[in-house]
């Protein structure tokens, strides 16, 4: 039956949205009887029992995205009922043995949905193809059958799994491969690396020589596997790099006291290395590598100078590694790589003999889904290791192994190794139709690694920040360093400068980050020589602990599409970054645009409107045309400005009252958690009514403000910029569209700093100007009001919102502020 409560015929889909399940009304219903003769119950005798090897294709792909007739999706009944039939039905037993939980078994319906799987490139268009080269695909594809739970809050039930034919022939693509229960096949893993090298070339591995001095480090350290010791290299040879979780296990570290001894032959052989490092050494050797990089050993852990230098080169360490070995199977460094030296404990491969022609096998979760369920995927430092690595071998929870690169996803239980691979199901994010949600569909997952070509840096930056901040950091001081390598890649690719994690060229837009859940400020710097102030400023997402994100700049919420996305935010206040050396200036968009600087040209993109390219680099999309051409590459330790603390601006200020009145569109499961509690309306301070509605703001610590609503307390807000319009989370499309473009202002709710805190901030600002080579007098001359910065009000950001322009028409109070 259809899994979406819409038309049951493909012809009833005028939008041509990809749907995975339709049923002609003339098709007979499935049997209700739970019993049947033979190896299957009545339900599965009429469904899985009728499948043949040919059912899985290859089939000619349809324009509407549907599987070919007579294939259809099925409902197998409630999970509890399926489990109860396991003793008399092989298909029910397969489901019962494969699901990872029977929770909500009385609510979860077991559904089977056909999903398009393997697609090949045309003959002769695979091997040696570079990443940007166009290639034609075959018109046929294989299918797989996805078994999933159907219920509201389905994520609480069992993890979906896929069924494909089991085939022992090594040449049979897009089929299940027999897998040993105790150990994985190291020769298979080595073949993945070799195939990727031969078939994908520079797309997946950069083999050009490089020098660490280009990244601000005189050398990096590597473990030489032949001699079991550390070596220093300024021009590193090919090596593998380990990505793993330290966790609570004791981890042997390189320290200032033992660094010399660890460089002697055989020194590491006698050290108590944790299991993950021991297994990584063994696997790297087995794969033919002579060198391995491991953070705990290749960085002197108690040397601030060495850590800063080596972490500053992190972008190169992982992006120039020939292979990343990801130990994601457990919660700590003692987990190791199961199935290599020690046996793994995963259950045996589940199979179902349907006929002499067909045996089905249940596949393990693909690399994306399995990695996402691991603790490794939730840790902050491993995020940039994943984004920077061009190709990886993954040891996953349960002991499975997989391989990912820019052009392929390969697994030990599924054959897809071919130079003609265009895509297969593990490379696609499939959303099944569900009766209470929008129709399902599919989209390419894209490469795991970050993109610097074919996508504007603002969109890629927003994605990286949202994914990274959702992860956990043990130490709050690592909030910005933990993503420094990723930001350094953007800096080098686009000539950007970052200030506390925000790209200076689009500072007006990136200041508008919003919480995705409750946040708390980073702790104060209370160590020796500490300032007693928060580690990072409030205007940066780095100054808060918790997940943040940006609005979708490609969504217009009832307003006409604006091709030049940078014109969504028109600065009204000039922002000066105090302590920035050299002077950092943001691009200031205008509503009408203007003549482009020399060397720049505009290009129209399919999904991101107008982007900008410089010179002949036509695949590197800039979000704004920088006033000056991108600077030459500089050492990466310059990518983060460590000193700037304050943003100085002169703008209007007024007081408004928080209310419970919001005008947003209906919230659904995709709405960020903070929206349900942290979004407030804004009203005049003198009014006792929530009307008229003047705008909305999202606050990261909502509980304290809900408690004050009854008292009618008002708060200070300052104007930052003119906005194209309200987002979908801020106002319903009918309201946003009726207001029209540029009827809205971006505002910041602020808290004035006073007392001892104010004294500390002023002292810190003075030090910042001195260290950066600036001076207060010079800053005063450049100030918008010509006054001295040390007389300005110092404020912290509380939250960012949008308000109607009309709410500020009578406000004529101007003041100079320093945001800290």
């Amino acid at each position: 039956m259809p899994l979406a409560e819409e038309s049951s015929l493909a012809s009833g889909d005028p939008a041509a949205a990809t749907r995975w399940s339709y049923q002609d009304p003339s098709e007979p219903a499935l049997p209700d009887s739970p019993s049947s003769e033979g190896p299957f119950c009545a339900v599965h005798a009429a469904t899985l029992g009728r499948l043949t090897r040919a059912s899985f294709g290859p089939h000619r792909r349809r324009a509407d995205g549907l599987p070919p007739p007579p294939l259809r999706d099925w409902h197998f009944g409630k999970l509890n009922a399926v489990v109860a039939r396991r003793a008399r039905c092989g298909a029910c037993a397969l489901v019962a043995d494969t699901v990872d939980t029977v929770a909500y078994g009385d609510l979860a319906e077991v559904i089977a949905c056909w999903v398009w799987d393997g697609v090949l490139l045309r003959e002769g268009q695979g091997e040696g193809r570079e990443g940007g080269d166009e290639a034609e695909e075959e018109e046929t594809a294989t299918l797989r059958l996805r078994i999933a739970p159907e219920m509201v809050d389905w994520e609480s039930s069992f993890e979906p799994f896929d069924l494909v034919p089991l085939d022992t022939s090594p040449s049979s693509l897009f089929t299940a491969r027999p897998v040993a229960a105790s150990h994985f096949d190291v020769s298979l893993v080595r073949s993945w690396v070799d195939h990727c090298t031969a078939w994908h070339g520079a797309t997946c591995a950069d083999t050009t020589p490089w020098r660490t001095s280009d990244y601000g480090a005189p050398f990096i350290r590597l473990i030489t596997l032949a001699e079991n010791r550390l070596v220093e290299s300024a021009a590193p040879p090919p090596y593998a790099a380990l990505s793993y979780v330290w966790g609570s296990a004791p981890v042997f570290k390189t320290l200032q006291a033992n660094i010399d001894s660890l460089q002697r032959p055989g020194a590491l052989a006698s050290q108590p290395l944790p299991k993950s490092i021991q297994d990584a050494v063994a696997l790297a050797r087995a794969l033919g590598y002579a060198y391995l990089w491991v953070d705990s050993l290749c960085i002197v852990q108690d040397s601030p100078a060495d850590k800063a230098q080596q972490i500053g080169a992190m972008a190169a360490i992982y992006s120039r590694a020939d292979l990343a070995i990801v130990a994601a199977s457990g919660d700590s460094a003692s987990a190791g790589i199961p199935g290599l030296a020690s046996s793994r404990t995963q259950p045996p491969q589940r199979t179902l003999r349907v006929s002499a022609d067909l045996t089905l096998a249940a596949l393990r979760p693909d690399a994306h889904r399995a990695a996402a369920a691991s603790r490794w995927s939730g840790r902050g430092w491993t995020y940039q290791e994943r984004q920077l690595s061009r190709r990886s071998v993954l040891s996953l929870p349960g002991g499975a192994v997989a391989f990912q690169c820019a052009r392929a996803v390969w697994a030990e239980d599924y054959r897809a190794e071919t130079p003609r691979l265009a895509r297969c199901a593990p490379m696609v994010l499939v959303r099944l139709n569900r009766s209470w949600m929008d129709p399902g569909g599919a989209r390419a997952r894209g490469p795991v690694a970050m993109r610097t070509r074919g996508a504007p840096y603002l969109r890629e930056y927003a994605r990286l920040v949202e994914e990274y901040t959702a992860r956990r950091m043990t130490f709050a001081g690592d909030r910005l360093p933990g993503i420094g390598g990723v930001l350094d890649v953007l800096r080098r690719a686009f000539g950007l400068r970052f200030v506390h994690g925000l790209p200076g060229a689009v500072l007006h837009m990136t200041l508008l980050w919003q919480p995705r859940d409750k946040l708390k400020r980073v702790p104060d710097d209370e160590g020796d020589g500490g300032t007693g102030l928060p580690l990072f400023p409030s205007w940066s997402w780095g100054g808060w602990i918790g997940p943040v994100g940006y609005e979708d700049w490609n969504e217009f919420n009832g307003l006409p599409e604006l091709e030049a996305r940078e014109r969504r935010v028109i600065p009204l206040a000039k922002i000066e970054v105090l302590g920035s050396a050299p002077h950092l200036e943001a691009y200031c968009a205008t509503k009408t645009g203007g003549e482009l600087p020399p060397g720049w040209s505009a290009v129209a993109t399919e999904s991101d409107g107008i982007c900008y390219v410089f010179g002949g680099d036509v695949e590197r999309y800039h979000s704004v045309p920088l006033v000056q051409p991108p600077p030459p590459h500089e050492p990466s330790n310059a990518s983060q400005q460590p000193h700037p603390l304050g943003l100085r601006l002169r703008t209007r200020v007024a007081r408004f009252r928080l209310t419970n009145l919001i005008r947003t569109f209906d919230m659904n499961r995709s709405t960020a958690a903070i929206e349900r509690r942290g979004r407030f309306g804004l009203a005049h301070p003198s009014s006792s009514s929530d009307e008229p509605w003047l705008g909305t703001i999202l606050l990261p610590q909502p509980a304290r403000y809900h408690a004050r609503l009854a008292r009618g307390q008002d708060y200070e807000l300052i104007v930052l910029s003119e906005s194209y319009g309200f987002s979908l989370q801020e106002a319903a499309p009918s309201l946003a569209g009726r207001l029209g473009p540029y009827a809205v202002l971006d505002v910041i709710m602020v808290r004035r700093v006073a007392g001892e805190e104010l004294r500390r901030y002023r002292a810190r600002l003075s030090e910042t100007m001195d260290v950066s080579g600036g001076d207060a007098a010079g800053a005063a001359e450049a100030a918008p009001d010509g006054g001295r910065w040390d007389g300005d009000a110092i404020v912290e950001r509380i939250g960012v919102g949008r308000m109607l322009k009309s709410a500020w028409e009578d406000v004529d109070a101007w003041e100079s502020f320093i945001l800290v």
Side-chain angles (χ1 to χ4, degrees):
M1 63 171 55
L3 299 186
E5 291 182 348
E6 303 197 18
S7 172
S8 61
L9 297 175
S11 60
D13 181 20
T18 302
R19 288 163 167 79
W20 299 98
S21 51
Y22 289 92
Q23 177 190 6
D24 189 290
S26 63
E27 290 183 14
L30 291 178
D32 292 327
S33 171
S35 62
S36 174
E37 296 181 3
F40 300 114
C41 66
V43 171
H44 288 121
T47 56
L48 297 182
R50 294 181 180 177
L51 295 178
T52 66
R53 178 64 180 80
S55 301
F56 292 82
H59 301 285
R60 182 174 294 274
R61 288 182 284 156
R62 293 168 46 134
D64 56 17
L66 303 178
L71 298 177
R72 52 172 287 196
D73 296 348
W74 298 302
H75 284 220
F76 291 156
K78 293 290 191 291
L79 177 59
N80 278 353
V82 172
V83 172
R85 298 196 297 266
R86 66 189 302 172
R88 59 182 183 275
C89 173
C92 290
L94 174 69
V95 172
D97 291 341
T98 305
V99 296
D100 56 350
T101 178
V102 293
Y104 304 98
D106 56 336
L107 298 176
E109 182 96 2
V110 180
I111 58 175
C113 307
W114 290 100
V115 174
W116 288 108
D117 192 4
V119 180
L120 295 174
L121 300 173
R122 291 192 183 278
E123 195 74 45
Q125 298 199 30
E127 193 165 350
R129 180 173 64 92
E130 294 298 325
D133 294 347
E134 294 292 332
E136 293 185 7
E137 297 176 354
E138 295 279 6
E139 295 178 354
T140 59
T142 62
L143 290 167
R144 58 171 60 189
L145 193 60
R146 180 153 298 174
I147 310 299
E150 166 79 342
M151 69 175 208
V152 177
D153 196 25
W154 64 269
E155 298 92 339
S156 300
S157 187
F158 65 87
E159 175 75 12
F161 63 92
D162 295 343
L163 299 177
V164 297
L166 179 71
D167 200 316
T168 57
S169 171
S171 62
S172 181
L173 287 174
F174 311 124
T175 61
R177 177 169 27 221
V179 175
S182 60
H183 292 78
F184 63 83
D185 184 354
V186 176
S187 66
L188 174 64
V189 177
R190 183 162 188 168
S191 74
W192 290 337
V193 180
D194 293 341
H195 289 332
C196 177
T197 300
W199 297 342
H200 307 157
T203 301
C204 298
D206 189 348
T207 59
T208 58
W210 64 287
R211 301 195 65 83
T212 61
S213 57
D214 293 336
Y215 294 84
F219 56 81
I220 65 169
R221 298 181 188 88
L222 297 169
I223 302 170
T224 171
L225 302 181
E227 300 180 13
N228 271 322
R229 67 185 182 98
L230 294 178
V231 295
E232 297 174 352
S233 177
Y239 63 94
L242 175 63
S243 179
Y244 66 116
V245 175
W246 284 30
S248 58
V251 176
F252 178 81
K253 307 177 187 68
T254 295
L255 304 171
Q256 295 180 73
N258 64 14
I259 178 62
D260 291 337
S261 63
L262 293 179
Q263 296 180 74
R264 297 169 188 157
L268 291 174
S270 60
Q271 304 301 332
L273 302 181
K275 191 73 167 61
S276 292
I277 297 178
Q278 292 180 36
D279 285 354
V281 167
L283 182 58
R285 281 199 186 104
L287 297 179
Y289 289 97
Y291 298 92
L292 177 68
W293 188 90
V294 180
D295 60 354
S296 60
L297 299 174
C298 298
I299 300 175
V300 181
Q301 297 295 321
D302 62 348
S303 169
D306 191 77
K307 288 181 75 172
Q309 198 173 71
Q310 297 298 310
I311 290 174
M314 199 64 71
I317 288 171
Y318 277 95
S319 65
R320 300 305 298 261
D322 191 72
L323 178 74
I325 297 173
V326 177
S329 65
D331 294 342
S332 71
S334 63
I337 299 177
L340 181 64
S342 58
S343 295
R344 52 188 178 185
T345 58
Q346 64 179 4
Q349 191 173 35
R350 307 295 187 188
T351 61
L352 171 67
R353 180 179 169 85
V354 177
S355 65
D357 172 63
L358 175 66
T359 296
L360 295 176
L363 299 178
R364 302 187 184 106
D366 63 52
H368 287 277
R369 290 189 292 154
S374 67
R375 183 174 179 184
W376 170 86
S377 185
R379 304 306 298 172
W381 279 105
T382 61
Y383 179 75
Q384 73 171 357
E385 295 167 7
R386 184 75 160 130
Q387 290 293 322
L388 295 170
S389 300
R390 289 171 174 254
R391 58 184 184 179
S392 306
V393 167
L394 300 97
S395 170
L396 298 164
V401 293
F403 179 89
Q404 285 184 319
C405 65
R407 296 264 301 278
V409 178
W410 294 324
E412 61 175 324
D413 64 344
Y414 173 73
R415 290 191 190 88
E417 299 90 351
T418 170
R420 294 173 54 206
L421 178 66
R423 63 182 173 277
C424 55
M427 300 166 67
V428 178
L429 178 62
V430 175
R431 191 178 72 253
L432 301 178
N433 289 336
R434 299 188 184 278
S435 57
W436 66 94
M437 296 174 65
D438 293 337
R443 62 177 174 83
R445 293 183 188 269
V448 174
M450 60 185 295
R451 298 174 63 189
T452 58
R453 294 187 179 276
Y457 63 70
L458 187 57
R459 173 157 64 88
E460 185 69 353
Y461 168 81
R463 177 188 72 85
L464 294 166
V465 168
E466 185 150 1
E467 292 176 357
Y468 169 71
T469 57
R471 295 193 172 205
R472 297 180 297 278
M473 275 289 187
T474 302
F475 303 105
D478 291 341
R479 176 82 159 173
L480 286 175
I483 198 175
V486 164
L487 299 185
D488 189 53
V489 171
L490 293 179
R491 181 191 68 82
R492 288 173 170 269
F494 296 101
L496 297 173
R497 287 179 56 210
F498 287 86
V499 53
H500 286 294
L502 274 57
V506 284
L507 189 59
H508 290 95
M509 299 184 78
T510 53
L511 281 170
L512 302 179
W513 58 267
Q514 294 277 21
R516 290 290 183 259
D517 205 341
K518 290 184 290 186
L519 307 179
K520 62 180 180 179
R521 285 285 272 131
V522 294
D524 293 348
D525 180 9
E526 300 288 7
D528 292 340
T531 63
L533 299 172
L535 292 165
F536 306 115
S538 65
W539 46 264
S540 166
W541 50 261
W544 300 77
I545 298 173
V548 307
Y550 288 93
E551 68 177 298
D552 182 356
W553 285 296
N554 292 324
E555 179 261 305
F556 291 91
N557 195 30
L559 291 170
E561 182 174 345
L562 188 64
E563 285 296 319
R565 304 295 200 258
E566 80 276 9
R567 297 182 198 167
R568 295 192 63 141
V569 176
I570 307 298
L572 296 179
K574 181 179 180 181
I575 297 176
E576 178 190 0
V577 182
L578 295 181
S580 173
H583 181 63
L584 188 150
E585 187 149 356
Y587 178 81
C588 293
T590 63
K591 294 179 188 176
T592 57
E595 188 174 342
L596 293 176
W600 290 92
S601 56
V603 296
T605 67
E606 183 176 351
S607 58
D608 296 286
I610 298 295
C611 294
Y612 302 92
V613 297
F614 183 75
D617 198 350
V618 296
E619 290 186 358
R620 209 175 295 279
Y621 293 165
H622 294 251
S623 299
V624 300
L626 299 178
V627 177
Q628 297 293 329
H633 289 168
E634 56 190 347
S636 63
N637 55 16
S639 66
Q640 289 295 320
Q641 298 289 332
H643 303 303
L645 173 66
L647 301 181
R648 188 178 193 273
L649 67 160
R650 181 168 175 78
T651 187
R652 286 185 290 170
V653 57
R655 302 187 76 86
F656 295 92
R657 187 168 53 83
L658 298 180
T659 75
N660 279 320
L661 181 61
I662 57 175
R663 297 287 178 87
T664 58
F665 197 58
D666 290 341
M667 295 183 184
N668 54 43
R669 289 185 55 81
S670 63
T671 304
I674 191 69
E675 290 283 349
R676 295 179 174 82
R677 183 70 175 162
R679 184 160 296 284
F680 294 84
L682 291 164
H684 290 297
S686 58
S687 172
S688 58
S689 170
D690 290 353
E691 298 280 6
W693 181 84
L694 303 179
T696 180
I697 192 166
L698 188 63
L699 299 179
Q701 298 173 318
R704 63 176 62 180
Y705 298 101
H706 277 290
R708 301 172 188 170
L709 280 177
R711 301 201 298 265
Q713 185 171 338
D714 51 73
Y715 301 90
E716 274 193 311
L717 287 91
I718 63 175
V719 174
L720 181 64
S721 48
E722 190 175 5
S723 176
Y724 190 63
F726 287 111
S727 72
L728 186 62
Q729 287 71 40
E730 295 167 333
S734 57
L735 172 59
R738 188 168 67 249
L739 289 170
Y742 299 113
V744 179
L745 298 175
D746 296 310
V747 297
I748 304 179
M749 181 170 149
V750 297
R751 176 186 70 86
R752 290 184 186 253
V753 175
E756 175 61 21
E757 185 184 16
L758 176 61
R759 186 197 66 77
R760 290 183 179 182
Y761 268 120
R762 292 209 178 279
R764 179 61 178 147
L765 283 166
S766 295
E767 294 171 5
T768 295
M769 297 299 292
D770 291 341
V771 171
S772 68
D775 64 88
E781 290 176 7
D785 63 350
R788 289 182 56 82
W789 65 267
D790 56 1
D792 298 342
I794 295 181
V795 295
E796 278 196 335
R797 164 187 159 142
I798 300 300
V800 166
R802 287 200 173 105
M803 296 183 66
L804 299 172
K805 271 186 180 178
S806 57
W808 289 79
E809 286 179 349
D810 298 328
V811 175
D812 197 33
W814 289 75
E815 194 171 347
S816 294
F817 296 93
I818 297 177
L819 269 171
V820 294

